[in-house]
Amino acid sequence: QSRDLCLRAAKPYMACHKLVMHKSSAEMVKIMDNCKHETFIGYLDRQTADIQKTIALLVADERKDESDFEKIRANIFQIAKSVYQTSLKTFPEENARLEFLDSRLAMIAQSWKSALDKAKTHHDEVRVLQEQLKLDTMEEILKKRKEIWEVAE
């Protein structure tokens, strides 16, 4: 029931908010958590699918360099999804899951920052662009993560 509301609404977590107003506290928390999970996974999947379409168009247009950069973006969304799915399997409590997700993504981003600094030092322009793209994409994901979870907090 909550899944259907989540999928139909333009802002799934808002639909869930309306649904839970008539439920017990425990039921409300569970429904809200499920909507947040579905919203985040859905966001990551949609972004990946959109990027894959862009990649196909770029490849068809023989724009390999640009398609390679889009492949990097798609990989970042998949990394975030994998880390999030691991948090779901590992931690029963929502706060622990989010701490795990945030800490892992921050750790990954830190390694990219180091790689960016190294690329700048060696004047490797392509690598600079790749590492900056990774960081920008991760920032986009973290912004969406915070948007989804802070709506109901």
Side-chain angles (χ1 to χ4, degrees):
Q1 187 180 23
S2 67
R3 179 177 166 77
D4 291 339
L5 284 172
C6 287
L7 295 174
R8 281 183 286 177
K11 292 196 174 193
Y13 41 86
M14 295 307 286
C16 290
H17 178 67
K18 292 174 187 171
L19 174 71
V20 299
M21 290 170 50
H22 304 290
K23 302 286 185 179
S24 71
S25 293
E27 289 174 316
M28 288 182 358
V29 169
K30 187 174 181 179
I31 291 169
M32 290 297 291
D33 286 349
N34 285 339
C35 283
K36 291 173 190 175
H37 302 316
E38 291 173 13
T39 300
F40 191 59
I41 293 292
Y43 162 75
L44 296 171
D45 286 342
R46 279 187 309 278
Q47 292 298 105
T48 302
D50 290 347
I51 293 168
Q52 293 298 337
K53 290 175 189 173
T54 301
I55 291 169
L57 293 172
L58 291 169
V59 168
D61 204 24
E62 297 181 13
R63 295 162 57 189
K64 184 185 178 329
D65 290 344
E66 291 172 78
S67 72
D68 288 345
F69 281 103
E70 290 300 308
K71 288 175 188 175
I72 291 170
R73 289 191 71 233
N75 286 338
I76 306 311
F77 283 100
Q78 288 303 300
I79 289 169
K81 181 178 178 181
S82 294
V83 172
Y84 183 63
Q85 288 174 324
T86 299
S87 77
L88 290 173
K89 294 175 188 173
T90 308
F91 301 99
E93 184 184 283
E94 184 74 21
N95 287 338
R97 284 184 220 143
L98 294 177
E99 286 178 26
F100 176 83
L101 176 66
D102 291 343
S103 69
R104 295 293 181 209
L105 295 182
M107 186 172 61
I108 292 167
Q110 185 57 47
S111 71
W112 293 335
K113 287 178 188 171
S114 297
L116 176 61
D117 291 342
K118 187 176 180 180
K120 286 178 179 178
T121 301
H122 292 103
H123 306 288
D124 186 343
E125 293 176 20
V126 172
R127 194 72 182 165
V128 167
L129 290 172
Q130 291 171 338
E131 298 305 326
Q132 189 61 57
L133 178 62
K134 291 176 187 179
L135 290 168
D136 292 346
T137 304
M138 185 64 77
E139 186 177 319
E140 177 184 340
I141 292 167
L142 289 171
K143 180 180 176 187
K144 187 66 169 183
R145 200 263 336 135
K146 289 176 182 170
E147 176 186 314
I148 291 168
W149 268 271
E150 290 178 6
V151 163
E153 293 175 1

